[in-house]
Amino acid sequence: GAVVSQHPSRVICKSGTSVKIECRSLDFQATTMFWYRQFPKQSLMLMATSNEGSKATYEQGVEKDKFLINHASLTLSTLTVTSAHPEDSSFYICSASSGAGGGEQYFGPGTRLTVT
Amino acid sequence: LAKTTQPISMDSYEGQEVNITCSHNNIATNDYITWYQQFPSQGPRFIIQGYKTKVTNEVASLFIPADRKSSTLSLPRVSLSDTAVYYCLVGDVPGGGYNKLIFGAGTRLAVHP
């Protein structure tokens, strides 16, 4: 199946700093990518839909100025957590769709963010 | 998007067959049913999808009754490595596609030796 990678796999940062997470589709082009957040023992929560060449669409309650999303190419989307705080500590997962007109979504391995 | 309801948790033993049922009473005519598996600290992994009747692949079977208001994921002869959270999702594009996926609570399966 198609492969989606994320970098870094885990990151620890200090409160107030910004962290960038990359999501790459390695063997296919992804017009649309999605970003999720998952707290311990909870389900995935969709944060935003990232569209190549246009602004991301954020879910209700997700601050677009805090979680900056850039989808500059068909294989790369980035999520930047700005001015991170301990409550932003979470597991961030991206997904990408492989085919025109639909097709399965493939998920990345996730990025563990810890804000101290 | 149709809401789904699954048992919060299930326990089984190695070698047994496990059936996880998902209710989706408001499923629309165009909706497909997709199941994902997630291990701790990993992204979800596609298991199987279907529209009606029965679908089988190398890892699981999916049973969908005629009214499509529920579906059952069947895992034959589970092993310890099948311990994971299983999510049932419905949507009008097979496997999700470009549509956003809304995850429910999932079913936490624990397989014991």
Side-chain angles (χ1 to χ4, degrees):
Chain A
V3 178
V4 175
S5 70
Q6 285 185 236
H7 178 79
S9 59
R10 57 178 62 236
V11 57
I12 301 173
C13 70
K14 293 187 176 182
S15 185
T17 61
S18 295
V19 174
K20 180 184 287 187
I21 302 170
E22 294 184 348
C23 176
R24 293 182 184 273
S25 56
L26 298 185
D27 51 3
F28 65 97
Q29 293 185 331
T31 303
T32 303
M33 292 183 175
F34 301 90
W35 285 96
Y36 299 82
R37 179 168 54 180
Q38 185 175 34
F39 293 108
K41 303 292 186 182
Q42 295 187 22
S43 183
L44 286 78
M45 185 193 78
L46 180 66
M47 299 176 66
T49 302
S50 171
N51 299 295
E52 188 267 337
S54 65
K55 292 183 178 181
T57 303
Y58 291 83
E59 294 299 301
Q60 188 174 7
V62 178
E63 301 176 57
K64 62 179 182 180
D65 294 329
K66 181 169 183 61
F67 299 100
L68 301 179
I69 292 173
N70 184 277
H71 193 158
S73 77
L74 287 172
T75 59
L76 173 65
S77 175
T78 60
L79 169 68
T80 301
V81 183
T82 62
S83 186
H85 290 96
E87 57 265 30
D88 298 323
S89 298
S90 188
F91 192 53
Y92 292 86
I93 307 170
C94 70
S95 72
S97 180
S98 61
E104 181 184 331
Q105 278 191 32
Y106 297 93
F107 286 81
T111 297
R112 175 76 59 191
L113 170 64
T114 302
V115 184
T116 61
Chain B
L1 295 173
K3 181 180 178 179
T4 60
T5 303
Q6 304 172 232
I8 294 297
S9 64
M10 295 182 68
D11 289 273
S12 183
Y13 292 90
E14 283 189 292
Q16 290 188 336
E17 178 184 76
V18 171
N19 296 308
I20 306 174
T21 297
C22 177
S23 296
H24 26 79
N25 291 319
N26 297 322
I27 189 169
T29 303
N30 295 332
D31 282 343
Y32 289 78
I33 300 156
T34 309
W35 286 79
Y36 285 87
Q37 175 192 55
Q38 186 183 28
F39 296 113
S41 296
Q42 293 186 28
R45 183 176 72 102
F46 173 91
I47 301 175
I48 197 168
Q49 73 176 21
Y51 182 81
K52 62 180 180 180
T53 63
K54 177 183 175 182
V55 180
T56 297
N57 62 21
E58 62 275 10
V59 298
S61 294
L62 179 60
F63 299 92
I64 305 169
D67 66 5
R68 304 199 328 121
K69 293 183 182 299
S70 67
S71 59
T72 299
L73 174 71
S74 181
L75 304 173
R77 297 179 298 282
V78 294
S79 64
L80 296 177
S81 62
D82 292 316
T83 295
V85 179
Y86 293 83
Y87 295 98
C88 161
L89 293 93
V90 294
D92 61 2
V93 178
Y98 294 145
N99 286 8
K100 59 183 183 182
L101 297 176
I102 305 299
F103 284 77
T107 297
R108 192 172 297 273
L109 173 66
V111 180
H112 306 280

